[in-house]
Amino acid sequence: MKVTAIASSNIAFIKYWGKADDALRLPLNSSISMNLSGAYTTTTVEFSPTRESDTVTLLGGTFSQKEEARTIQALERIRKRTGLAHLARVVTHNTFPKGIGAAASASGFAALTLAGFAAAGATLSQKEQTVFARLGSGSACRSIPDGFVIWDKGTSSDDSCAYTLYPPMHWDLRDIVVIVDSHMKKVSSTEGMEGAGTSPLLQRRLAAIPDRIKRCSDALRTKDFQALGDVIEEDCLDMHAVMQSQSPPLYYWSTATEKVVASVRGWRREQIPVYFTIDAGPNVHLICEAKDEQVVIQKAREVDGAKEIIVNKPAQGAHLVDKNLF
Ligand code: PMV
């Protein structure tokens, strides 16, 4: 059977950085995110008895050998779980460049999990889907459920899973991504995270996370935008402090990143309520409410070094669609 799924990327408000188990991708901390309407992956999977090898194609781009191997490992997990022996053809397409810090691996492994199990004829609970997506890429588990999502770090592979805190329509927020560099990032989050334990700041970060998770979910529940923005920036800067104090150090910011961050602080002084967050790359995510979307887009366009802007609303989770890519 040939099946296609769409999954959005997600932006973490409280970030995941560091693993308790590398192979199982068990995180050291829980995290909270929002699915992004403007940055998504479409993936078609077909298992066939006549196929002699797994093939993986990225439309409009190429997979590295490592990425191809990770995708084939995900297909093997699907075969193992379902008992299917057939090999597969996978064709995938992103609406955005991979490696831009807009988490193509999150949407990619979420879409692959959904399409792959459906193509294998299996029905999984959403909880189990998030577990399988997590094994491909940690943050992918957050792209399975709808809207605003928490990934509970859990205690084992079976309960380290993600679920919806609030549906997309709960709060009309925007994530306006300022692309300052669309080239592939130098050190992937998987590689970078391996050094997290070498940072003297990691333990202090982990101790601060439970309170931030509570502040973030409270701010989402009460729609307190300032409280949300404060905790988002605090956690972003804290994660980057850990990255920068690792051995070897990781510095994902560019001069343009610093300019956008300084601009955001200036816009707040002009009473524009907008906050920033940054993943493992130089691009900046501007978080604001729908009412401020136009002014934030206009300001973002004026920043020196801003090459492209992607506007995102809160999005639904991964879902199957009728139109196949081949
Ligand atoms: O699961 P990965 O490899 O996409 O790692 C995600 C790491 C960050 O984007 C930096 C933080 C996060 O929680 O999304």
Side-chain angles (χ1 to χ4, degrees):
M1 223 207 317
K2 193 189 287 185
V3 178
T4 301
I6 287 185
S8 286
S9 174
N10 66 76
I11 180 67
F13 291 164
I14 304 298
K15 313 275 190 196
Y16 144 57
W17 193 252
K19 296 189 190 85
D21 183 311
D22 285 338
L24 293 174
R25 293 182 192 274
L26 294 176
L28 286 170
N29 64 277
S30 298
S31 52
I32 294 181
S33 62
M34 178 179 104
N35 285 335
L36 305 178
S37 64
Y40 57 89
T41 300
T42 308
T43 300
T44 302
V45 180
E46 182 178 47
F47 287 100
S48 151
T50 55
R51 187 158 284 285
E52 286 170 1
S53 63
D54 287 317
T55 61
V56 179
T57 311
L58 174 64
L59 298 178
T62 45
F63 279 125
S64 67
Q65 272 183 346
K66 262 192 197 168
E67 289 167 332
E68 191 178 295
R70 262 170 87 178
T71 308
I72 291 172
Q73 281 163 15
L75 292 171
E76 273 160 10
R77 283 191 291 271
I78 294 171
R79 282 190 280 262
K80 195 165 172 224
R81 167 69 175 75
T82 59
L84 187 75
H86 301 166
L87 297 169
R89 178 176 179 196
V90 176
V91 176
T92 189
H93 175 259
N94 295 325
T95 61
F96 55 98
K98 70 186 163 79
I100 63 164
S105 62
S107 52
F109 282 102
L112 180 66
T113 302
L114 220 74
F117 277 106
T123 314
L124 264 60
S125 67
Q126 186 179 78
K127 180 178 171 182
E128 206 184 344
Q129 287 169 353
T130 73
V131 166
F132 274 93
R134 190 203 76 226
L135 292 166
S137 171
S139 59
C141 70
R142 299 188 310 235
S143 283
I144 297 272
D146 286 338
F148 301 91
V149 175
I150 185 162
W151 171 13
D152 183 351
K153 72 183 171 106
T155 55
S156 70
S157 188
D158 295 339
D159 68 357
S160 183
C161 60
Y163 55 90
T164 295
L165 280 177
Y166 297 100
M169 66 288 265
H170 171 71
W171 195 358
D172 203 11
L173 292 180
R174 294 289 179 273
D175 171 12
I176 296 163
V177 192
V178 185
I179 308 292
V180 296
D181 183 356
S182 56
H183 293 104
M184 191 65 189
K185 61 194 167 201
K186 289 187 193 76
V187 181
S188 72
S189 35
T190 299
E191 260 177 90
M193 243 180 249
E194 284 166 13
T198 62
S199 165
L201 305 181
L202 180 70
Q203 290 311 320
R204 198 213 37 155
R205 166 171 174 73
L206 295 175
I209 293 277
D211 176 60
R212 284 193 202 136
I213 291 279
K214 184 173 182 319
R215 280 162 58 204
C216 184
S217 31
D218 285 352
L220 285 171
R221 179 173 46 82
T222 58
K223 300 184 197 167
D224 181 339
F225 186 66
Q226 194 184 329
L228 181 72
D230 282 345
V231 75
I232 287 176
E233 281 191 8
E234 181 182 312
D235 189 65
C236 165
L237 292 172
D238 188 36
M239 178 184 75
H240 284 272
V242 170
M243 291 165 156
Q244 289 161 21
S245 56
Q246 288 181 201
S247 169
L250 287 174
Y251 198 83
Y252 285 108
W253 296 29
S254 67
T255 313
T257 311
E258 279 160 15
K259 276 189 190 151
V260 181
V261 166
S263 302
V264 171
R265 291 180 172 137
W267 301 335
R268 279 212 296 274
R269 284 194 293 275
E270 293 170 32
Q271 310 303 323
I272 302 168
V274 53
Y275 293 83
F276 65 83
T277 186
I278 301 160
D279 281 342
N283 302 307
V284 185
H285 295 247
L286 306 177
I287 310 297
C288 67
E289 291 182 284
K291 67 178 174 58
D292 299 309
E293 174 184 339
Q294 289 312 320
V295 63
V296 172
I297 292 175
Q298 189 201 324
K299 292 277 189 191
R301 286 213 174 102
E302 287 165 9
V303 181
D304 194 21
K307 295 201 174 121
E308 199 191 327
I309 307 261
I310 303 174
V311 180
N312 298 286
K313 301 177 181 185
Q316 68 179 123
H319 54 280
L320 299 179
V321 292
D322 290 334
K323 202 166 171 276
N324 297 318
L325 292 177
F326 65 91

